[in-house]
Amino acid sequence: NGCNVFSTSSPDTLAEQRAKLARHLAIETELHEALVGGQLRLAYQPIVDIGSGALHGVEALIRWRKPDGSVVPPDVFIPIAEQSDLIIDIGRWVLGQALRDLASLQGGALAGLKIHVNMAASEFTSSALPEMLRAMSERLAVPPSQVVLELTESMLMRQPEQVKRVMHQLRDIGFEISLDDFGMGHSSLAMLKSLPISSLKIDRSFVRDLPSGERDRAIARTIVDLGHHLQLEVIAEGIESEAQLAELSACGCRFGQGWLLGRPLPLDGLVQAFPQGRR
Ligand code: C2E
Ligand code: MG
Ligand code: MG
Ligand code: MG
């Protein structure tokens, strides 16, 4: 190696590149079958009000279990789907399922619950998204204000003007937008100021080493303050311990998500876990 100072690993040989391409194509084919064959599911992870313990919302997380019982994590198959049009079909399925689930909760203890849905970059650059979502929420009688679309900072970098236009259209209809994995990308403060978002999610990597690391504490506190000064809700991701929770609470962080507060559950499991509703 040595020729490319930016490459973190040695460049793939042609044989390795071929093998990777073949693997990706195989996953793509299987994923298409999974989508058509109904192998995809959504799990819902609670987002909790740290002070009161009340259920604030849930995040929909896609799950793929193959017929042989093996599970492929979204961190593996979403990036592959993003390399083709498959992500558009998957994204549409996710939105449809999440909104149908939301509609099924109306009238029950969890009526009014907000559902966060992860979006892929290519969904957010599509000018068809706002109208498609508006029609879908109207058809299912789900208020747009109960749907929170999550996007990451890196998604803003590719076509910032187009993404911003779509964001504003979605906000005008009434959908909410949340900035996911905050702190991992490179969105400027100027950009943050001008985005029509209502919340930001502190990336798990800043939560992991709390409360021991002096610097992590400073970063967590700074993100919370930044969010609040911009009138945004701040949600900390990946809370696994009481010590992390206590530290985030001391930093003034109002909302949290993580294994300590609740694992991702199928919809019926979620309903059973919160018989009192959102209180
Ligand atoms: P994300 O949006 O940042 O989601 C949070 C991830 O952290 C989820 O992983 C969740 O299961 C995991 N997590 C939650 N609490 C904890 C914790 O306390 N400790 C640890 N170690 N992890 C925790 P998951 O479900 O594997 O999803 C990974 C990523 O895949 C998501 O990151 C999101 O970027 C993407 N993804 C998931 N579902 C969808 C989807 O429907 N559409 C799209 N486009 N992307 C999705
Ligand atoms: Mg997310
Ligand atoms: Mg995240
Ligand atoms: Mg993530």
Side-chain angles (χ1 to χ4, degrees), residues 59 61 118 150 180-181 201 237:
E59 177 174 10
L61 296 162
N118 291 287
E150 291 194 2
D180 201 359
D181 302 348
K201 301 183 79 173
E237 302 191 285

